[in-house]
Amino acid sequence: MSFNSIDEILAANDELLQRFLSEVSGLSEGQEVFRPSEGSWSIAEIVEHVALVNNNFLRIVGRLHQQALADGAGPAGPILIGPLLEAVDPEHQRKVEAPERVRPRGDQPVTASLHLLRQTASGFREIQPQLEAVDLSGPTIPHALGQLNYLS
């Protein structure tokens, strides 16, 4: 899937969020905390991790936006991006250890993590006009998957 605008990216994220919510809402407590194997994460921990990653990404996007403004970035132009993970790891074989800031603590109920996911999605929609107004292709951050920018 490729995207041509910030609105397309956010719309795709909104659709994925709705699908994710439908898959993990209404689970029993036993289902939420079940671990399929030793050392694996439970559904509750996976949902917590996804919520933490998304919320962290919102903060990163805000920093990248501020950096683009500080660097004197011009107005946004057309964008064309594809899925990052497909480019970096087309076979989905690469394992990356979650950094502490996005590692689940394991004490969050799924409902709390879903609430954070919804808040984060709203946060992206709130800053959408600012993101659409400036070229975000310049500033980058280091990541385990490589240098990323908002359009990665």
Side-chain angles (χ1 to χ4, degrees):
M1 178 181 297
S2 294
F3 304 100
N4 298 298
S5 70
I6 300 294
D7 190 57
E8 283 183 19
I9 294 168
L10 295 180
N13 284 342
D14 290 343
E15 181 181 323
L16 285 171
L17 176 59
Q18 292 309 311
R19 287 176 40 208
F20 188 76
L21 292 172
S22 71
E23 291 294 326
V24 298
S25 296
L27 298 174
S28 71
E29 184 179 342
Q31 290 171 313
E32 289 181 4
V33 299
F34 174 75
R35 293 179 189 278
S37 63
E38 181 68 32
S40 64
W41 288 354
S42 67
I43 291 172
E45 289 169 322
I46 293 168
V47 175
E48 181 183 356
H49 171 69
V50 170
L52 292 170
V53 167
N54 282 7
N55 193 259
N56 194 50
F57 190 61
L58 176 60
R59 288 193 299 273
I60 289 169
V61 168
R63 286 198 309 260
L64 292 173
H65 178 257
Q66 291 303 313
Q67 185 63 49
L69 293 174
D71 291 347
I79 60 173
L80 180 60
I81 62 171
L84 170 68
L85 294 178
E86 291 299 321
V88 174
D89 186 16
E91 301 298 318
H92 303 285
Q93 299 296 314
R94 188 169 176 189
K95 285 220 171 247
V96 177
E97 183 72 26
E100 188 64 34
R101 69 184 166 277
V102 295
R103 194 170 299 139
R105 295 186 317 251
D107 60 355
Q108 293 291 312
V110 168
T111 54
S113 297
L114 295 180
H115 179 71
L116 179 58
L117 279 168
R118 288 183 191 98
Q119 284 183 311
T120 301
S122 293
F124 273 110
R125 285 298 184 179
E126 287 173 17
I127 66 169
Q128 180 178 352
Q130 292 95 333
L131 299 178
E132 291 173 332
V134 66
D135 179 5
L136 298 171
S137 63
T140 62
I141 59 161
H143 188 275
L145 297 174
Q147 287 294 113
L148 301 180
N149 67 13
Y150 179 72
L151 305 177
S152 294

